[in-house]
Amino acid sequence: MNNVRITKVNPVHWNSTQSEKDWYYSDLDEFKDKYKRGNKLKDVGSMLILKDINGKLPLRPFLNKFILDNPNVSVNYNGNETYLSDIVTEKLLEELTKNEFEDVPKHLRHKNSLVNCSCWSQYKNFNRGDLSDLKKLFHPDPGA
């Protein structure tokens, strides 16, 4: 199906010198062959990209829970220093309420500590330098 694709690495690490062959698995057989083959960092970059779905994504009855990353990064938001996870949680809850998903369990990943994970250091690196990578992950309009 051309409107569902799986990334080989996190899109934040893509660059313009690469081709779509570098970004996406070509088919499910390639994904099955290469996913979970010992490279945990590469595996967590695999994401589903949905394209041309007419503005609708039928989540019911398939959605089991929402998992929200906690980047442990504070940002200036509306003039106040605020944790990014608090902002994203607030916006997510607004959308869930509007779309009648209040009953779906929500989980904040890495709430208090990280064990054997480099997520927090990765997010800190995004926040120290060029914010365009961090915006790609969390901003409602990444090009803004």
Side-chain angles (χ1 to χ4, degrees):
M1 186 185 304
N2 289 337
N3 57 352
V4 178
R5 301 168 99 183
I6 305 172
T7 66
K8 292 180 177 181
V9 297
N10 188 320
V12 78
H13 300 296
W14 292 353
N15 67 56
S16 60
T17 61
Q18 296 173 308
S19 71
E20 288 196 9
K21 289 179 183 178
D22 298 312
W23 297 342
Y24 299 104
Y25 288 102
S26 58
D27 55 39
L28 281 177
D29 289 331
E30 182 187 9
F31 175 73
K32 288 176 187 175
D33 183 51
K34 295 185 177 173
Y35 185 71
K36 288 193 173 184
R37 295 293 185 241
N39 189 341
K40 184 178 177 183
L41 288 177
K42 189 173 181 182
D43 286 345
V44 298
S46 291
M47 299 180 186
L48 294 177
I49 304 292
L50 306 172
K51 184 178 175 183
D52 300 326
I53 55 174
N54 296 322
K56 294 184 179 183
L57 178 61
L59 297 175
R60 296 238 189 236
F62 312 105
L63 182 63
N64 295 324
K65 74 174 145 178
F66 288 99
I67 300 174
L68 181 64
D69 240 357
N70 176 15
N72 195 35
V73 170
S74 60
V75 295
N76 186 322
Y77 180 70
N78 293 336
N80 298 310
E81 198 69 17
T82 308
Y83 277 101
L84 187 55
S85 59
D86 293 343
I87 299 165
V88 175
T89 299
E90 175 187 325
K91 298 300 180 187
L92 176 64
L93 291 176
E94 286 174 16
E95 290 301 315
L96 295 179
T97 300
K98 277 195 272 186
N99 293 289
E100 301 179 4
F101 284 105
E102 301 97 340
D103 61 312
V104 178
K106 296 141 208 75
H107 174 73
L108 182 62
R109 189 167 66 142
H110 308 311
K111 184 174 182 179
N112 296 315
S113 65
L114 294 178
V115 178
N116 297 323
C117 185
S118 64
C119 299
W120 280 1
S121 63
Q122 291 282 344
Y123 286 125
K124 290 285 186 206
N125 287 338
F126 289 147
N127 199 34
R128 283 189 192 112
D130 181 3
L131 292 181
S132 62
D133 287 339
L134 192 63
K135 284 175 74 172
K136 284 182 200 176
L137 299 171
F138 291 99
H139 199 281
D141 182 7

